[in-house]
Amino acid sequence: MTGTPLVPPRLRDDCFAMPQGVSWVPVDTALARLRAVLTPMTGVESVTAIDASGRVLAADCIARRSNPPRPNSAVDGYGFAHSATGRGVQRLPLVAGRAAAGQPFDGAVPAGSAIRILTGAILPDGVDTVVLEEDCASDGRIVVFDGPVKPRANTRTAGEDVKQGEIALTSGHRLRPPDLALLSALGIAAVTVFRPLRVGVLSTGDEIIGDPSQDAAPHQIFDANRPMLLALAQSLGCTPIDLGHVRDDPALIRDRLNQGATLADVILTSGGASAGDEDHISSLLRNEGTLSSWRIAMKPGRPLALALWQGIPVFGLPGNPVAALVCALIFARPALSLMAGAGWPKPQGFAVPAAFSKSKKAGRREYLRARIDADGHAEVFASEGSGRISGLSWATGLVELPDAALEVRPGTPVCFLPYGSFGM
Ligand code: AMP
Ligand code: MG
């Protein structure tokens, strides 16, 4: 066989390069650039639908049958032909037998007669309308109710929800529990999905102790970012790959990145990402990978280091846990989603009145740890300190303040982004 062999998509070496002369990049510009350069990075596989929650569709799902498959009753009551009824008190003789869900009535109901029918039962031949049991009196031989009744009342038509052959869910959709209900109802037993994106997470820093069960000297701190970023990757539907922690030693970092490149489709690192003396990740990526330091006009956040290491994208997040989480939610999360085949998500924000005051200067976007108080207002964590990890736990989301200057007073509408809107 001839032809070009299939190769996985590759990112261009200079894909993360920012145009020369750009100093502070607005958040939206940075997001647009990331979105433009990234592509889905994983292959596809077929899985049974019942096991597919959280997976991303790689093909449209076509309804194998209609929902409902046949016209049926929406209530418990009595069914009949509408044409034989009118105004005033209606008295219809009942046919023997009944129609129930899973037990269709075998026969036809003559015009002018009625049949006992239960919710979900297929409408027997001759029945197009159902009257609610509570609106009837019956002795088992006749049924009596007040007319007129609307034609087709209390019935569902075949395919009124979804018709056979229609697209029920489109490629790129991440399956949630209700989607599994839809797939099953439409007779779809298997789905084509993207393989989960493997996300390597690496912490760096001489001061970091990777394992909180160990002893730590006064100058050492436990690794807060790695557990957080691994769990975040998991909640985004990716496969987290723990690349552990390495000291600020270029040789060790190099080895670990090499290892990561064989295990993961993308690597998130934290710490050492700015241009300081001890920032070995950025110097290593600059010298041996292709690094772009994006100075993003955002608080919290130091430069976001973006690089390719052996063709694998590396997101160098700040070391401060607050900044690491915010950068991960704002930048890494949509990037991972796109690479996982699920498209570029925009977190759904809600305008809520502020419960706080703040004079925000122009020039950079700000994200504050926030939660909704009992009055439905957004309150923010008492300290904006980037090391205050407890504030991340205290919060249920972020307040996003725009790039422009803003005078926030109690009652000023602000944009609240619940953690849930980041898939967390
Ligand atoms: P860096 O980005 O390396 O300059 O680190 C900024 C701050 O974040 C320093 O106070 C570091 O000690 C802290 N830091 C870096 N990595 C972690 C981590 N994995 N867990 C907790 N704190 C960290
Ligand atoms: Mg450091």
Side-chain angles (χ1 to χ4, degrees):
M1 239 178 75
T2 57
T4 328
L6 280 179
V7 289
R10 298 265 183 256
L11 297 176
R12 283 168 48 113
D13 272 358
D14 61 350
C15 70
F16 294 131
M18 272 287 175
Q20 286 296 310
V22 170
S23 47
W24 289 96
V25 191
V27 172
D28 288 338
T29 308
L31 289 172
R33 278 197 76 85
L34 261 188
R35 181 178 188 170
V37 299
L38 296 173
T39 53
M41 305 280 286
T42 66
V44 302
E45 61 183 340
S46 177
V47 297
T48 52
I50 203 164
D51 296 319
S53 190
R55 304 296 299 272
V56 179
L57 291 175
D60 294 346
C61 292
I62 310 291
R64 239 168 36 87
R65 86 192 296 234
S66 296
N67 181 49
R70 301 290 304 275
N72 67 25
S73 178
V75 298
D76 290 351
Y78 297 88
F80 47 83
H82 183 267
S83 59
T85 63
R87 289 189 172 280
V89 175
Q90 309 292 307
R91 294 171 188 281
L92 305 183
L94 286 172
V95 299
R98 58 169 208 167
Q103 296 167 18
F105 179 71
D106 189 16
V109 176
S113 291
I115 184 172
R116 174 75 173 136
I117 191 165
L118 300 178
T119 307
I122 289 182
L123 300 184
D125 285 348
V127 172
D128 60 12
T129 301
V130 175
V131 64
L132 197 64
E133 168 177 295
E134 288 85 335
D135 295 337
C136 297
S138 176
D139 59 3
R141 284 177 299 133
I142 63 165
V143 61
V144 179
F145 55 89
D146 285 323
V149 175
K150 276 194 193 152
R152 289 179 301 284
N154 299 310
T155 64
R156 307 165 176 146
T157 55
E160 70 173 23
D161 183 26
V162 181
K163 289 188 183 56
Q164 183 181 353
E166 279 181 355
I167 296 177
L169 295 167
T170 50
S171 180
H173 181 75
R174 188 182 296 282
L175 296 172
R176 303 152 305 158
D179 299 321
L180 301 199
L182 181 61
L183 292 173
S184 191
L186 302 180
I188 300 170
V191 288
T192 306
V193 293
F194 287 100
R195 290 184 190 280
L197 189 75
R198 297 166 304 164
V199 179
V201 176
L202 173 64
S203 289
T204 66
D206 284 341
E207 75 280 33
I208 306 294
I209 299 283
D211 175 359
S213 72
Q214 288 178 0
D215 290 333
H219 63 278
Q220 295 176 318
I221 59 173
F222 292 118
D223 186 352
N225 292 339
R226 194 164 45 93
M228 172 172 75
L229 296 172
L230 287 167
L232 179 65
Q234 173 113 54
S235 65
L236 298 181
C238 303
T239 302
I241 310 277
D242 189 355
L243 299 177
H245 154 255
V246 280
R247 287 191 288 110
D248 286 320
D249 174 333
L252 295 177
I253 301 174
R254 181 189 299 114
D255 280 356
R256 203 62 70 88
L257 286 175
N258 286 342
Q259 200 188 343
T262 66
L263 300 171
D265 302 306
V266 51
I267 297 174
L268 306 181
T269 71
S270 70
S274 41
D277 290 349
E278 297 299 325
D279 289 325
H280 295 283
I281 271 266
S282 42
S283 52
L284 187 71
L285 291 172
R286 182 171 299 110
N287 298 334
E288 300 180 29
T290 46
L291 174 91
S292 245
S293 259
W294 290 16
R295 299 212 301 158
I296 297 166
M298 152 173 157
K299 185 184 171 187
R302 300 262 290 282
L304 181 64
L306 291 165
L308 288 184
W309 185 269
Q310 299 177 3
I312 300 283
V314 178
F315 283 72
L317 301 170
N320 274 307
V322 174
L325 182 67
V326 171
C327 283
L329 294 181
I330 302 301
F331 294 103
R333 181 234 179 197
L336 296 181
S337 173
L338 187 71
M339 289 186 274
W344 186 268
K346 201 175 161 352
Q348 187 176 25
F350 301 89
V352 294
F356 62 96
S357 297
K358 184 179 167 70
S359 292
K360 188 203 159 285
K361 297 194 196 66
R364 46 180 192 173
R365 192 168 298 182
E366 285 196 34
Y367 293 92
L368 308 174
R369 285 152 279 175
R371 66 185 187 189
I372 302 296
D373 70 13
D375 302 322
H377 296 189
E379 56 176 337
V380 294
F381 191 58
S383 160
E384 289 185 20
S386 186
R388 296 289 294 271
I389 301 174
S390 69
L392 294 174
S393 279
W394 172 92
T396 59
L398 302 173
V399 156
E400 180 183 61
L401 299 179
D403 300 359
L406 184 68
E407 227 19 80
V408 181
R409 294 279 164 265
T412 306
V414 292
C415 176
F416 179 70
L417 301 164
Y419 279 162
S421 74
F422 295 104
M424 189 162 75

